[in-house]
């Protein structure tokens, strides 16, 4: 996976630089995740007294982008002489020849790696996949586990994935079954790390809007504009759409329709990672935030409508003023011998009509504001009630 050992490394780097995907910030992010993974390795390392001859190793999952360009990735990786590349459904697998290291790339931006010894190897794989990212994440998500082959029953506990041994099979058949079994577990690991990205995004949105109900309860208005509230709502819809766009993120992957024998491994990992419970909690939190945005949107629309109605009242008053002046000039004008209008009478009429019109307009605006406050009082009390409820 190290690009320096491949013949097409220079061409790949030129494409990456041309598309602007190898920025310093992204390189720093991958380095930071690799450093964090090295710290996790010490926690997940097997105990020293567990030298029972079992086959063990690392299995790690990353979420680095909103999605991948899968077909372009396949065409480039197939040029590597040491990789066997193919698709299993929508998942791209890259298997190293004469090695037990496997990489599974999911279209929704997740990568799962099996039996890579060090975090530096993870960084090399992520660097090779970076040119195919769409909307890279500013901070990639990481999750790490250990795996082992022991017994005949799959299980998962204490961040260790235990898979059954298949000693009775031939080497080629055992390797094929092993890849499919790892893919079954990888589906759950990829879903988990993708949900983690969504959880953090929703949490950031909640933190950014936490003060808005308090402002409404305290001041009867909010400091955000309609555009800002619309941006928050758009961000939430975009995050939710990115998760629900791929059915495999929140549902049982189609892979198990034809490979039912591996579904128990997926179910075990799904229960351990609490995917269903996390999805339910996310849906509830999204509903709460969406209700808040709808309330804020209604309040801002109400304020905007009130301003428009005041402007309409002023325009109607101005039109009435012009009509009164016009009619008054026709009634009170006195034509003298030369046919000229009595300007003193006309100016007096204009002054009187203007004062009366302004007084009527002020009275209408005052009455309208009083009516708006009475109607808005119960409307504004609802955020106070909601803010006191546990979220």
């Amino acid at each position: 996976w190290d690009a320096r050992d491949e013949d097409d490394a220079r061409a790949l780097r030129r494409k990456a630089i041309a598309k602007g995907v190898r920025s310093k910030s992204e390189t720093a992010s991958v380095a930071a995740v690799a450093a964090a993974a090295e710290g996790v390795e010490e926690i997940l390392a097997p105990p020293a007294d567990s030298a029972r001859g079992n086959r063990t190793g690392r299995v790690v999952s990353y979420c680095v982008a909103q999605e991948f360009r899968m077909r372009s990735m396949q065409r480039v990786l197939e040029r590597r002489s040491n990789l066997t590349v193919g698709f299993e459904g929508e998942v791209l697998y890259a298997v190293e020849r004469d090695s037990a290291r496997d990489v599974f790339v999911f279209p929704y931006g997740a990568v799962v790696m099996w039996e890579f010894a060090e975090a530096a190897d993870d960084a090399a794989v992520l660097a090779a996949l970076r040119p195919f990212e769409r909307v890279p994440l500013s901070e990639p998500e990481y999750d790490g586990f250990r795996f082992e082959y022991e017994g005949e029953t799959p299980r998962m506990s204490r961040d260790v994935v235990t898979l059954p041994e298949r000693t009775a099979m031939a080497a080629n058949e055992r390797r094929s079954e092993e890849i499919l079994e790892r893919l079954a577990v990888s589906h759950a690991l990829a879903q988990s790390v993708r949900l983690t990205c969504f959880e953090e995004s929703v949490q950031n949105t909640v933190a950014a809007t936490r003060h808005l109900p308090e402002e409404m309860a305290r001041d009867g208005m909010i400091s955000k504009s309609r555009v800002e509230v619309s941006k928050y709502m758009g961000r939430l819809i975009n995050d939710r759409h990115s998760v629900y766009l791929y059915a495999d993120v929140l549902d049982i992957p189609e892979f198990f329709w034809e490979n039912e024998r591996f579904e128990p491994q997926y179910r075990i990992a799904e229960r351990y990672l609490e995917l269903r419970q996390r999805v339910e909690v996310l849906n509830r939190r999204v509903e709460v935030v969406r209700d808040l945005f709808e309330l804020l949107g209604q309040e801002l629309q109400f304020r905007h409508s009130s301003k428009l109605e005041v402007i309409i009242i002023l325009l109607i008053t101005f039109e009435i003023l012009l009509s009164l002046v016009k009619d008054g000039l026709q009634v009170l004008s006195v034509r003298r011998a030369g046919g000229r209008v009595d300007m003193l009478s006309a100016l007096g009429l204009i002054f009187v009509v203007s004062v009366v019109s302004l007084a009527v307009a002020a009275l209408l605006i005052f009455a309208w504001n009083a009516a708006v406050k009475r109607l808005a009082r119960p409307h504004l009390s609802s955020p106070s009630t909601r803010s006191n409820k546990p979220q």
Side-chain angles (χ1 to χ4, degrees):
W1 283 96
D2 191 348
R4 292 171 298 181
D5 297 335
E6 296 295 331
D7 295 336
D8 60 342
R10 288 187 294 272
L12 185 62
R13 279 197 292 270
R14 282 198 299 270
K15 291 181 180 179
I17 294 173
K19 294 182 179 180
V21 295
R22 298 193 62 182
S23 63
K24 294 183 179 180
S25 61
E26 291 174 348
T27 304
S29 298
V30 172
V33 173
E38 290 178 351
V40 175
E41 281 184 30
E42 299 180 358
I43 301 175
L44 301 178
D49 58 351
S50 64
R52 297 173 294 178
N54 295 347
R55 179 181 167 192
T56 64
R58 296 170 65 244
V59 51
V60 295
S61 56
Y62 292 88
C63 186
V64 296
Q66 293 290 346
E67 57 181 329
F68 283 117
R69 293 189 292 270
M70 304 296 289
R71 295 301 174 182
S72 300
M73 182 189 302
Q74 179 191 18
R75 287 193 295 269
V76 172
L77 294 182
E78 282 178 343
R79 301 174 189 170
R80 296 174 179 260
S81 59
N82 64 327
L83 293 180
T84 300
V85 181
F87 274 93
E88 188 64 47
E90 294 184 349
V91 182
L92 182 144
Y93 63 85
V95 178
E96 290 192 2
R97 297 173 182 173
D98 301 325
S99 172
R101 303 202 301 182
D102 302 325
V103 176
F104 300 100
V105 183
F106 295 79
Y108 46 82
V111 184
V112 180
M113 311 176 200
W114 289 77
E115 215 157 328
F116 283 75
E118 300 177 355
D121 299 330
D122 302 349
V125 175
L126 297 178
L129 301 181
R130 191 176 302 121
F132 313 102
E133 297 174 1
R134 287 179 177 169
V135 192
L137 302 181
S138 58
E139 295 183 4
E141 289 295 334
Y142 164 84
D143 205 357
F145 303 88
R146 302 290 301 182
F147 75 89
E148 64 179 5
Y149 287 90
E150 180 183 8
E152 299 181 355
T153 305
R155 61 185 181 274
M156 190 171 182
S157 63
R158 298 184 179 180
D159 287 348
V160 177
V161 181
T162 303
L163 301 175
E165 295 180 308
R166 304 180 186 274
T167 55
M169 294 183 177
N172 292 338
E173 184 181 0
R174 182 171 62 249
R175 179 59 176 149
S176 299
E177 290 291 298
E178 178 182 279
I179 293 174
L180 294 178
E181 188 174 43
R182 288 181 173 184
L183 176 56
V185 178
S186 298
H187 272 289
L189 301 181
Q191 288 175 337
S192 176
V193 74
R194 190 68 183 90
L195 281 177
T196 301
C197 296
F198 187 35
E199 289 168 342
E200 291 192 357
S201 178
V202 173
Q203 179 60 33
N204 293 335
T205 303
V206 170
T209 59
R210 191 185 302 274
H211 64 286
L212 297 181
E214 299 175 357
E215 286 185 4
M216 291 182 66
R218 183 181 63 251
D219 304 328
M221 58 185 301
I222 60 174
S223 57
K224 301 294 183 181
S225 65
R226 294 176 63 194
V227 175
E228 291 173 317
V229 172
S230 298
K231 288 181 179 179
Y232 283 125
M233 190 68 177
R235 185 190 310 170
L236 182 67
I237 293 175
N238 182 56
D239 290 336
R240 194 175 187 183
H241 174 74
S242 65
V243 173
Y244 283 88
L245 178 64
Y246 296 98
D248 284 354
V249 179
L250 301 179
D251 200 0
I252 299 177
E254 296 181 0
F255 166 77
F256 299 105
W257 291 5
E258 299 179 356
N259 301 274
E260 294 182 1
R261 64 188 185 279
F262 297 115
E263 188 172 348
Q265 286 87 329
Y266 169 79
R267 292 291 188 181
I268 290 171
E270 178 195 38
R271 287 194 297 269
Y272 181 81
L273 298 170
E274 299 180 337
L275 295 183
R276 297 300 153 197
Q277 295 89 329
R278 290 165 62 187
V279 169
E280 292 176 1
V281 171
L282 271 177
N283 284 332
R284 288 197 295 267
R285 298 194 72 181
V286 168
E287 291 298 328
V288 170
V289 177
R290 189 178 65 178
D291 290 344
L292 172 62
F293 286 156
E294 288 180 354
L295 179 62
L296 296 179
Q298 292 174 4
E299 174 61 23
L300 293 173
Q301 182 65 32
F302 185 74
R303 288 166 50 187
H304 182 67
S305 300
S306 300
K307 292 180 180 179
L308 290 179
E309 288 164 354
V310 170
I311 293 174
I312 292 174
I313 291 175
L314 293 176
L315 291 176
I316 293 174
T317 303
F318 182 71
E319 184 179 2
I320 294 174
L321 173 63
L322 292 180
S323 298
L324 291 176
V325 171
K326 179 180 177 181
D327 296 339
L329 287 175
Q330 293 177 355
V331 173
L332 297 181
S333 61
V334 178
R335 295 181 177 275
R336 295 184 177 177
R340 293 180 300 174
V341 178
D342 187 356
M343 297 303 298
L344 183 61
S345 300
L347 292 175
L349 174 63
I350 293 174
F351 176 76
V352 172
V353 172
S354 300
V355 172
V356 172
S357 299
L358 291 176
V360 171
L363 181 61
L364 290 175
I365 294 175
F366 176 79
W368 174 256
N369 289 334
V372 167
K373 289 181 180 179
R374 284 198 300 270
L375 293 174
R377 191 172 296 120
H379 178 68
L380 293 176
S381 63
S382 57
S384 175
T385 305
R386 290 194 177 194
S387 62
N388 292 330
K389 292 183 180 179
Q391 301 295 324

PDB file of all heavy atoms in Angstrom, residues 137-155:
ATOM      1  N   LEU A 137     -13.661  14.828   5.297  1.00  0.00           N
ATOM      2  CA  LEU A 137     -13.962  15.328   6.636  1.00  0.00           C
ATOM      3  C   LEU A 137     -12.749  16.072   7.185  1.00  0.00           C
ATOM      4  O   LEU A 137     -11.596  15.694   6.928  1.00  0.00           O
ATOM      5  CB  LEU A 137     -14.327  14.177   7.569  1.00  0.00           C
ATOM      6  CG  LEU A 137     -15.523  13.302   7.160  1.00  0.00           C
ATOM      7  CD1 LEU A 137     -15.766  12.229   8.212  1.00  0.00           C
ATOM      8  CD2 LEU A 137     -16.769  14.149   6.977  1.00  0.00           C
ATOM      9  N   SER A 138     -13.015  17.118   7.950  1.00  0.00           N
ATOM     10  CA  SER A 138     -11.908  17.880   8.534  1.00  0.00           C
ATOM     11  C   SER A 138     -11.142  17.053   9.553  1.00  0.00           C
ATOM     12  O   SER A 138      -9.923  17.180   9.672  1.00  0.00           O
ATOM     13  CB  SER A 138     -12.448  19.156   9.189  1.00  0.00           C
ATOM     14  OG  SER A 138     -13.421  18.828  10.182  1.00  0.00           O
ATOM     15  N   GLU A 139     -11.840  16.177  10.275  1.00  0.00           N
ATOM     16  CA  GLU A 139     -11.209  15.292  11.249  1.00  0.00           C
ATOM     17  C   GLU A 139     -11.733  13.877  11.044  1.00  0.00           C
ATOM     18  O   GLU A 139     -12.881  13.593  11.387  1.00  0.00           O
ATOM     19  CB  GLU A 139     -11.492  15.762  12.688  1.00  0.00           C
ATOM     20  CG  GLU A 139     -10.892  17.115  13.028  1.00  0.00           C
ATOM     21  CD  GLU A 139     -11.135  17.490  14.477  1.00  0.00           C
ATOM     22  OE1 GLU A 139     -11.707  16.648  15.207  1.00  0.00           O
ATOM     23  OE2 GLU A 139     -10.769  18.602  14.866  1.00  0.00           O
ATOM     24  N   PRO A 140     -10.927  12.975  10.487  1.00  0.00           N
ATOM     25  CA  PRO A 140     -11.390  11.598  10.288  1.00  0.00           C
ATOM     26  C   PRO A 140     -11.733  10.918  11.611  1.00  0.00           C
ATOM     27  O   PRO A 140     -11.113  11.176  12.643  1.00  0.00           O
ATOM     28  CB  PRO A 140     -10.197  10.920   9.609  1.00  0.00           C
ATOM     29  CG  PRO A 140      -9.397  12.037   9.014  1.00  0.00           C
ATOM     30  CD  PRO A 140      -9.595  13.212   9.920  1.00  0.00           C
ATOM     31  N   GLU A 141     -12.741  10.062  11.562  1.00  0.00           N
ATOM     32  CA  GLU A 141     -13.142   9.281  12.742  1.00  0.00           C
ATOM     33  C   GLU A 141     -12.417   7.939  12.729  1.00  0.00           C
ATOM     34  O   GLU A 141     -12.187   7.348  11.662  1.00  0.00           O
ATOM     35  CB  GLU A 141     -14.654   9.057  12.751  1.00  0.00           C
ATOM     36  CG  GLU A 141     -15.459  10.300  13.054  1.00  0.00           C
ATOM     37  CD  GLU A 141     -15.236  10.821  14.457  1.00  0.00           C
ATOM     38  OE1 GLU A 141     -14.878  10.015  15.340  1.00  0.00           O
ATOM     39  OE2 GLU A 141     -15.415  12.031  14.664  1.00  0.00           O
ATOM     40  N   TYR A 142     -12.086   7.440  13.920  1.00  0.00           N
ATOM     41  CA  TYR A 142     -11.312   6.207  14.048  1.00  0.00           C
ATOM     42  C   TYR A 142     -11.910   5.331  15.134  1.00  0.00           C
ATOM     43  O   TYR A 142     -12.398   5.820  16.155  1.00  0.00           O
ATOM     44  CB  TYR A 142      -9.853   6.528  14.390  1.00  0.00           C
ATOM     45  CG  TYR A 142      -9.074   5.341  14.913  1.00  0.00           C
ATOM     46  CD1 TYR A 142      -8.495   4.433  14.033  1.00  0.00           C
ATOM     47  CD2 TYR A 142      -8.917   5.134  16.282  1.00  0.00           C
ATOM     48  CE1 TYR A 142      -7.782   3.338  14.513  1.00  0.00           C
ATOM     49  CE2 TYR A 142      -8.211   4.052  16.765  1.00  0.00           C
ATOM     50  CZ  TYR A 142      -7.643   3.145  15.872  1.00  0.00           C
ATOM     51  OH  TYR A 142      -6.956   2.064  16.345  1.00  0.00           O
ATOM     52  N   ASP A 143     -11.877   4.025  14.894  1.00  0.00           N
ATOM     53  CA  ASP A 143     -12.274   3.062  15.917  1.00  0.00           C
ATOM     54  C   ASP A 143     -11.400   1.830  15.735  1.00  0.00           C
ATOM     55  O   ASP A 143     -11.172   1.387  14.602  1.00  0.00           O
ATOM     56  CB  ASP A 143     -13.749   2.693  15.786  1.00  0.00           C
ATOM     57  CG  ASP A 143     -14.345   2.220  17.109  1.00  0.00           C
ATOM     58  OD1 ASP A 143     -13.580   2.133  18.090  1.00  0.00           O
ATOM     59  OD2 ASP A 143     -15.553   1.952  17.155  1.00  0.00           O
ATOM     60  N   GLY A 144     -10.892   1.266  16.831  1.00  0.00           N
ATOM     61  CA  GLY A 144      -9.952   0.153  16.744  1.00  0.00           C
ATOM     62  C   GLY A 144     -10.349  -1.012  17.628  1.00  0.00           C
ATOM     63  O   GLY A 144     -10.889  -0.823  18.724  1.00  0.00           O
ATOM     64  N   PHE A 145     -10.074  -2.218  17.147  1.00  0.00           N
ATOM     65  CA  PHE A 145     -10.377  -3.446  17.875  1.00  0.00           C
ATOM     66  C   PHE A 145      -9.241  -4.441  17.652  1.00  0.00           C
ATOM     67  O   PHE A 145      -8.354  -4.234  16.828  1.00  0.00           O
ATOM     68  CB  PHE A 145     -11.699  -4.064  17.388  1.00  0.00           C
ATOM     69  CG  PHE A 145     -12.885  -3.156  17.485  1.00  0.00           C
ATOM     70  CD1 PHE A 145     -13.200  -2.288  16.432  1.00  0.00           C
ATOM     71  CD2 PHE A 145     -13.683  -3.140  18.619  1.00  0.00           C
ATOM     72  CE1 PHE A 145     -14.287  -1.439  16.517  1.00  0.00           C
ATOM     73  CE2 PHE A 145     -14.772  -2.291  18.709  1.00  0.00           C
ATOM     74  CZ  PHE A 145     -15.073  -1.444  17.664  1.00  0.00           C
ATOM     75  N   ARG A 146      -9.311  -5.556  18.415  1.00  0.00           N
ATOM     76  CA  ARG A 146      -8.473  -6.706  18.169  1.00  0.00           C
ATOM     77  C   ARG A 146      -9.339  -7.842  17.635  1.00  0.00           C
ATOM     78  O   ARG A 146     -10.548  -7.851  17.875  1.00  0.00           O
ATOM     79  CB  ARG A 146      -7.792  -7.180  19.458  1.00  0.00           C
ATOM     80  CG  ARG A 146      -6.931  -6.162  20.152  1.00  0.00           C
ATOM     81  CD  ARG A 146      -5.679  -5.828  19.409  1.00  0.00           C
ATOM     82  NE  ARG A 146      -4.829  -6.996  19.185  1.00  0.00           N
ATOM     83  CZ  ARG A 146      -3.644  -6.953  18.573  1.00  0.00           C
ATOM     84  NH1 ARG A 146      -3.193  -5.794  18.128  1.00  0.00           N
ATOM     85  NH2 ARG A 146      -2.933  -8.037  18.400  1.00  0.00           N
ATOM     86  N   PHE A 147      -8.750  -8.751  16.898  1.00  0.00           N
ATOM     87  CA  PHE A 147      -9.486  -9.930  16.466  1.00  0.00           C
ATOM     88  C   PHE A 147      -8.644 -11.166  16.726  1.00  0.00           C
ATOM     89  O   PHE A 147      -7.408 -11.108  16.833  1.00  0.00           O
ATOM     90  CB  PHE A 147      -9.867  -9.842  14.985  1.00  0.00           C
ATOM     91  CG  PHE A 147      -8.723 -10.090  14.040  1.00  0.00           C
ATOM     92  CD1 PHE A 147      -8.422 -11.376  13.596  1.00  0.00           C
ATOM     93  CD2 PHE A 147      -7.954  -9.042  13.578  1.00  0.00           C
ATOM     94  CE1 PHE A 147      -7.372 -11.611  12.732  1.00  0.00           C
ATOM     95  CE2 PHE A 147      -6.907  -9.268  12.710  1.00  0.00           C
ATOM     96  CZ  PHE A 147      -6.604 -10.555  12.282  1.00  0.00           C
ATOM     97  N   GLU A 148      -9.319 -12.294  16.845  1.00  0.00           N
ATOM     98  CA  GLU A 148      -8.642 -13.567  17.037  1.00  0.00           C
ATOM     99  C   GLU A 148      -9.506 -14.680  16.457  1.00  0.00           C
ATOM    100  O   GLU A 148     -10.727 -14.527  16.310  1.00  0.00           O
ATOM    101  CB  GLU A 148      -8.381 -13.829  18.519  1.00  0.00           C
ATOM    102  CG  GLU A 148      -9.642 -13.972  19.362  1.00  0.00           C
ATOM    103  CD  GLU A 148      -9.343 -14.249  20.821  1.00  0.00           C
ATOM    104  OE1 GLU A 148      -8.148 -14.231  21.183  1.00  0.00           O
ATOM    105  OE2 GLU A 148     -10.287 -14.496  21.588  1.00  0.00           O
ATOM    106  N   TYR A 149      -8.855 -15.783  16.116  1.00  0.00           N
ATOM    107  CA  TYR A 149      -9.552 -16.966  15.631  1.00  0.00           C
ATOM    108  C   TYR A 149      -9.462 -18.031  16.717  1.00  0.00           C
ATOM    109  O   TYR A 149      -8.361 -18.474  17.079  1.00  0.00           O
ATOM    110  CB  TYR A 149      -8.933 -17.465  14.329  1.00  0.00           C
ATOM    111  CG  TYR A 149      -9.252 -16.584  13.142  1.00  0.00           C
ATOM    112  CD1 TYR A 149      -8.432 -15.517  12.800  1.00  0.00           C
ATOM    113  CD2 TYR A 149     -10.376 -16.824  12.363  1.00  0.00           C
ATOM    114  CE1 TYR A 149      -8.728 -14.714  11.715  1.00  0.00           C
ATOM    115  CE2 TYR A 149     -10.686 -16.015  11.270  1.00  0.00           C
ATOM    116  CZ  TYR A 149      -9.852 -14.966  10.956  1.00  0.00           C
ATOM    117  OH  TYR A 149     -10.151 -14.164   9.881  1.00  0.00           O
ATOM    118  N   GLU A 150     -10.639 -18.415  17.225  1.00  0.00           N
ATOM    119  CA  GLU A 150     -10.656 -19.387  18.321  1.00  0.00           C
ATOM    120  C   GLU A 150     -12.026 -20.057  18.376  1.00  0.00           C
ATOM    121  O   GLU A 150     -13.065 -19.387  18.253  1.00  0.00           O
ATOM    122  CB  GLU A 150     -10.365 -18.702  19.662  1.00  0.00           C
ATOM    123  CG  GLU A 150     -10.358 -19.662  20.831  1.00  0.00           C
ATOM    124  CD  GLU A 150     -10.150 -18.936  22.153  1.00  0.00           C
ATOM    125  OE1 GLU A 150     -10.162 -17.685  22.151  1.00  0.00           O
ATOM    126  OE2 GLU A 150      -9.991 -19.609  23.180  1.00  0.00           O
ATOM    127  N   GLY A 151     -12.055 -21.347  18.578  1.00  0.00           N
ATOM    128  CA  GLY A 151     -13.295 -22.070  18.773  1.00  0.00           C
ATOM    129  C   GLY A 151     -14.140 -22.150  17.519  1.00  0.00           C
ATOM    130  O   GLY A 151     -13.650 -21.983  16.395  1.00  0.00           O
ATOM    131  N   GLU A 152     -15.423 -22.354  17.713  1.00  0.00           N
ATOM    132  CA  GLU A 152     -16.353 -22.513  16.600  1.00  0.00           C
ATOM    133  C   GLU A 152     -17.494 -21.504  16.613  1.00  0.00           C
ATOM    134  O   GLU A 152     -18.304 -21.482  15.690  1.00  0.00           O
ATOM    135  CB  GLU A 152     -16.951 -23.932  16.628  1.00  0.00           C
ATOM    136  CG  GLU A 152     -15.911 -25.044  16.481  1.00  0.00           C
ATOM    137  CD  GLU A 152     -16.545 -26.413  16.503  1.00  0.00           C
ATOM    138  OE1 GLU A 152     -17.784 -26.485  16.725  1.00  0.00           O
ATOM    139  OE2 GLU A 152     -15.829 -27.407  16.303  1.00  0.00           O
ATOM    140  N   THR A 153     -17.573 -20.670  17.656  1.00  0.00           N
ATOM    141  CA  THR A 153     -18.678 -19.725  17.797  1.00  0.00           C
ATOM    142  C   THR A 153     -18.158 -18.296  17.720  1.00  0.00           C
ATOM    143  O   THR A 153     -17.260 -17.930  18.493  1.00  0.00           O
ATOM    144  CB  THR A 153     -19.408 -19.931  19.134  1.00  0.00           C
ATOM    145  OG1 THR A 153     -19.829 -21.288  19.234  1.00  0.00           O
ATOM    146  CG2 THR A 153     -20.608 -19.007  19.238  1.00  0.00           C
ATOM    147  N   PRO A 154     -18.671 -17.471  16.820  1.00  0.00           N
ATOM    148  CA  PRO A 154     -18.236 -16.066  16.783  1.00  0.00           C
ATOM    149  C   PRO A 154     -18.790 -15.297  17.975  1.00  0.00           C
ATOM    150  O   PRO A 154     -19.901 -15.549  18.441  1.00  0.00           O
ATOM    151  CB  PRO A 154     -18.818 -15.564  15.465  1.00  0.00           C
ATOM    152  CG  PRO A 154     -20.003 -16.433  15.211  1.00  0.00           C
ATOM    153  CD  PRO A 154     -19.661 -17.784  15.770  1.00  0.00           C
ATOM    154  N   ARG A 155     -18.041 -14.329  18.438  1.00  0.00           N
ATOM    155  CA  ARG A 155     -18.474 -13.492  19.553  1.00  0.00           C
ATOM    156  C   ARG A 155     -17.649 -12.204  19.533  1.00  0.00           C
ATOM    157  O   ARG A 155     -16.644 -12.099  18.820  1.00  0.00           O
ATOM    158  CB  ARG A 155     -18.320 -14.211  20.893  1.00  0.00           C
ATOM    159  CG  ARG A 155     -16.913 -14.616  21.240  1.00  0.00           C
ATOM    160  CD  ARG A 155     -16.874 -15.446  22.532  1.00  0.00           C
ATOM    161  NE  ARG A 155     -15.524 -15.822  22.894  1.00  0.00           N
ATOM    162  CZ  ARG A 155     -14.895 -16.895  22.428  1.00  0.00           C
ATOM    163  NH1 ARG A 155     -15.508 -17.706  21.582  1.00  0.00           N
ATOM    164  NH2 ARG A 155     -13.653 -17.176  22.815  1.00  0.00           N
TER     165      ARG A 155
END
